[in-house]
Amino acid sequence: MEEKKVTWLELFYDLLFVAAVATATHVLLHVEQGYIHGEYLLKFVLIFIPIWWAWTGQTMFINRFGQDFLHQRIFMILQMLFVLIMISSLSVDFDQYYVSFLVGYIGLRALTSIQYLIVQKFEQSERKKVAVFLGTCFGIGIFISLLSLFFDSWVRYAVLYTGIAVDMILPILGHKRLAKLPTNTAHLLERFALLTLILFGESVVSILAVIQPQKGDWNTILFSIISFVLIIAMWWQYFENVEKKVNKSIQRAGQTIIYGHLLILMSLSMIAASIKLMFLHEVQYTFSLYFVFGSVLLYFMATTLVFHQYRFEEHRLKVYHLGLFLGILAVFFIINLFLVVPNTLIIGELAIFFIIYARFTTT
């Protein structure tokens, strides 16, 4: 498969979206009476999905049709303006900023759809068919979401996310058609890995900004060190797999990588938020256990799903590996549930889990 390099403009593009993700993650820090109420968990998901999908849409266009031409650069720069509008509209008080958020999101998606419809004029055979198919599918989803302007209260959100759901589901239904023009797997993995890397860095910075170890406060220093070890172990496991354990010559529609990374990126944000909240002791002990272990379980299952299909045959994990990892998490969770332990110890247990996970999946 032809080598496709990530451009500097793509990296700049990623930075803006990471800022949007950081804003979405901040929603998880709204704690009332020791809990993150279901309202905020739902808002986090509903804010996160449009951000991820807008980024993914442009990334997939570049993966199949991007040529770093001047007009494609202009399209990306215009998209950045809509990203800024969307970021400025992200808030737990969604109603107040709904119109500006919709303008940002629709602008992003419309520019991606237009690029497909433009490029199809210069393509032939399957490439032309795929460009028309994706441009049309996304146009349908955009139109449905745009209709939300004519409704109020919860109905507008139902219409908005119906459009987004259609936008996401139609490519899955057209899997066989897209498989005839497979993604550039190496470029796709690199794009998602770079976004994930920036999120790892953002997690470290945001955690340290809250923790801020003080001189002589050994509990804080220890919590900082163990949290850092946890994130490094996660980083090691993810990037060793991307670099050495996956077969980048596999040609598929890439949907496992695309949709699996929604869960990976969401769980990364959730883990970062849970570490902050555990340090600040703002959530009840039992809730913090369920939240942090649930976030880790989601991350583990998502990374396992994404990498399994693309691993070299000799590197694929066996069923007993899955049982081992789930068993370790279950033992730690049950012990902590019946014996109240310090939050530092809980973070240490998760660091041990990810060290073992990295050890078995990268050697």
Side-chain angles (χ1 to χ4, degrees):
M1 181 174 289
E2 177 186 354
E3 182 181 2
K4 183 183 287 286
K5 294 183 178 181
V6 176
T7 66
W8 294 112
L9 185 57
E10 287 179 87
L11 295 176
F12 189 28
Y13 187 75
D14 291 353
L15 292 175
L16 292 181
F17 274 94
V18 169
V21 170
T23 304
T25 304
H26 186 73
V27 174
L28 294 173
L29 301 182
H30 287 77
V31 178
E32 296 177 3
Q33 299 177 339
Y35 295 92
I36 303 173
H37 287 204
E39 172 192 355
Y40 294 110
L41 293 174
L42 179 61
K43 284 183 177 180
F44 166 72
V45 174
L46 294 181
I47 290 173
F48 199 101
I49 288 176
I51 295 170
W52 161 80
W53 189 237
W55 179 89
T56 298
Q58 181 62 23
T59 296
M60 292 309 300
F61 172 81
I62 294 173
N63 184 269
R64 283 193 171 99
F65 299 102
Q67 295 293 333
D68 197 27
F69 293 144
L70 175 61
H71 71 275
Q72 291 188 0
R73 287 189 178 189
I74 292 173
F75 268 107
M76 286 193 71
I77 292 171
L78 289 174
Q79 283 189 320
M80 290 181 192
L81 296 177
F82 285 107
V83 174
L84 292 174
I85 294 172
M86 190 168 66
I87 292 174
S88 65
S89 307
L90 297 176
S91 170
V92 292
D93 184 13
F94 216 18
D95 285 332
Q96 184 178 353
Y97 303 97
Y98 182 78
V99 174
S100 56
F101 169 82
L102 188 65
V103 168
Y105 175 74
I106 294 296
L108 281 164
R109 298 298 296 137
L111 286 171
T112 299
S113 180
I114 290 169
Q115 286 180 89
Y116 278 113
L117 297 177
I118 289 175
V119 80
Q120 63 88 19
K121 296 180 180 179
F122 308 99
E123 299 290 349
Q124 296 178 348
S125 188
E126 291 301 328
R127 292 180 64 84
K128 183 180 185 71
K129 292 178 182 178
V130 167
V132 172
F133 172 72
L134 290 175
T136 304
C137 287
F138 296 152
I140 294 170
I142 292 165
F143 176 73
I144 295 172
S145 292
L146 193 58
L147 291 177
S148 65
L149 280 173
F150 299 100
F151 299 92
D152 293 319
S153 68
W154 64 270
V155 179
R156 65 161 48 162
Y157 297 105
V159 175
L160 168 66
Y161 287 97
T162 296
I164 294 174
V166 168
D167 221 18
M168 294 170 59
I169 292 171
L170 286 179
I172 297 176
L173 296 178
H175 173 82
K176 291 184 179 179
R177 180 176 297 184
L178 296 179
K180 295 178 181 178
L181 181 60
T183 60
N184 186 311
T185 302
H187 176 266
L188 187 61
L189 283 171
E190 185 178 10
R191 292 296 294 116
F192 275 101
L194 286 169
L195 183 64
T196 305
L197 177 63
I198 299 173
L199 281 180
F200 270 119
E202 193 274 334
S203 296
V204 173
V205 171
S206 61
I207 289 169
L208 291 178
V210 173
I211 293 175
Q212 295 180 344
Q214 300 294 322
K215 182 177 180 180
D217 185 357
W218 292 107
N219 287 331
T220 300
I221 294 172
L222 182 61
F223 190 93
S224 304
I225 293 172
I226 296 177
S227 297
F228 181 70
V229 171
L230 166 63
I231 293 173
I232 286 297
M234 294 173 65
W235 170 86
W236 194 290
Q237 187 278 329
Y238 180 95
F239 287 97
E240 278 290 293
N241 274 276
V242 169
E243 188 65 26
K244 299 178 181 178
K245 301 300 180 181
V246 296
N247 184 357
K248 298 181 178 67
S249 65
I250 293 176
Q251 297 188 33
R252 292 178 178 168
Q255 290 175 341
T256 301
I257 296 174
I258 296 166
Y259 295 96
H261 269 85
L262 169 62
L263 302 179
I264 290 175
L265 299 173
M266 284 181 63
S267 58
L268 266 176
S269 293
M270 293 165 65
I271 291 170
S274 62
I275 292 175
K276 291 181 184 180
L277 294 173
M278 289 172 71
F279 173 76
L280 297 172
H281 299 281
E282 291 188 351
V283 289
Q284 291 186 5
Y285 178 79
T286 304
F287 177 83
S288 68
L289 273 183
Y290 279 103
F291 186 61
V292 71
F293 274 88
S295 303
V296 168
L297 178 62
L298 179 62
Y299 179 87
F300 163 70
M301 296 302 293
T303 50
T304 299
L305 172 68
V306 168
F307 290 126
H308 180 73
Q309 286 192 354
Y310 287 86
R311 278 176 172 270
F312 291 103
E313 190 71 31
E314 63 272 18
H315 294 313
R316 290 187 175 177
L317 301 181
K318 305 298 187 292
V319 174
Y320 67 82
H321 286 117
L322 184 63
L324 171 66
F325 300 137
L326 292 176
I328 293 171
L329 273 181
V331 168
F332 282 146
F333 178 76
I334 292 170
I335 291 173
N336 296 338
L337 197 58
F338 288 96
L339 296 175
V340 178
V341 301
N343 288 337
T344 303
L345 182 58
I346 295 173
I347 297 299
E349 292 169 351
L350 296 178
I352 292 172
F353 167 76
F354 276 109
I355 289 171
I356 296 172
Y357 185 32
R359 170 69 176 80
F360 277 90
T361 57
T362 60
T363 57

